[in-house]
Amino acid sequence: MSESFAVLFFKNAPKKDLGQPRAIYIRITVNGIAKEASIQRKCLPKQWHQQLGRSLGKDELSQTLNTFLTTLETKLEKKRTDLISADKQVTAEMLIDYVKGRDTPKYYLLEEFKKHNDQLAILVEKRKATAGTCKRYSTAFSHTRDYIQWKYAKEDMLLADLDYDFVNDFYFYLMSVRSCCNNTACKYVSNMKKIVLIAVKKKYILSNSFEEFAMHFGDVEYVALNEGELYRIVYHNYQFDRLDRIRDVFLFSCMTGLAFADVEKLSMANIKIDETGSWWIIQDRTKIYNGTRLTIKKLIKLLYYRGMKIVISKRISLLMPPFHWLKRIIARRALEIEVKSKH
């Protein structure tokens, strides 16, 4: 069976602003019938050679783009050969569907997102992931679902239909509709990006729609409590025992350097006294993949005797609120004793 077949990569002629990257499209022609689609890649107009269908740039991004175009062209030729070998008709529409990932079983973004989050929840139960990480991905899932309904009026999106505009508009949605700051918006975009990258590795889709989207995290300045502020919190008398316990756990974290996730799972078995009478915390850290040995100083012993011993013996998780509540309570009560709230 003889048929004409051609593949062309091209860019629309820019009307203005030659300094901005423009989208690259593919045109597949079979027996005189042509179909076009975006390949979710961009190139500067001054670097693009329309006749060659390649970038003339010498930088790494241009070389990566050209490699991608050559690979895609090779895959299309193989797909066409496979169809002919199977004695099936080859059409431009079939090959465009292959480029967009529509000729394979349909995979949806939220469906894959939920699978990922369900697996993450199991790892949290086995203490191989943190509850905070699980919560962030759950929130990112909710934002992604609401965004799809807001922009597309759909319940879900095909992974094959994701493109640069989908990602860019999601960032805009988080910044405008959800009133997120830049760093928070970037974190949620990163969460969704992980799902897309997993789909690429599983070969559910051919290309990564995040390839051209650049995220820039702003610098965050962290200011520590000074010694005077710390001791003011130590010796302040709260009206309720519950606040005393929360304060003690907060100070215990400050003085040991243990994260809240590590303090939360601390038990009496982690407190050891050596032959010299020195006290030690021996524990596997949540976010550090090796064990830790911390000596307990005099002031930390005071906290241990005053409240932590009771909390630890009954497991902190039974008495402690979630970490974001603890931060709010500490910040609010800190103002009462003239200590600045520093998040």
Side-chain angles (χ1 to χ4, degrees), residues 265-273 280-284 304 312-313 315:
K265 66 180 185 181
L266 202 61
S267 70
M268 290 296 293
N270 300 121
I271 310 297
K272 304 293 184 182
I273 303 176
W280 295 83
I281 296 175
I282 301 176
Q283 183 189 45
D284 291 330
Y304 177 82
I312 290 173
S313 64
R315 298 292 299 179

Side-chain angles (χ1 to χ4, degrees), residues 18 26 36 183 226 239 253 280 311:
L18 294 175
I26 185 172
E36 298 177 0
N183 284 8
N226 61 41
Q239 183 178 357
S253 291
W280 295 83
V311 178

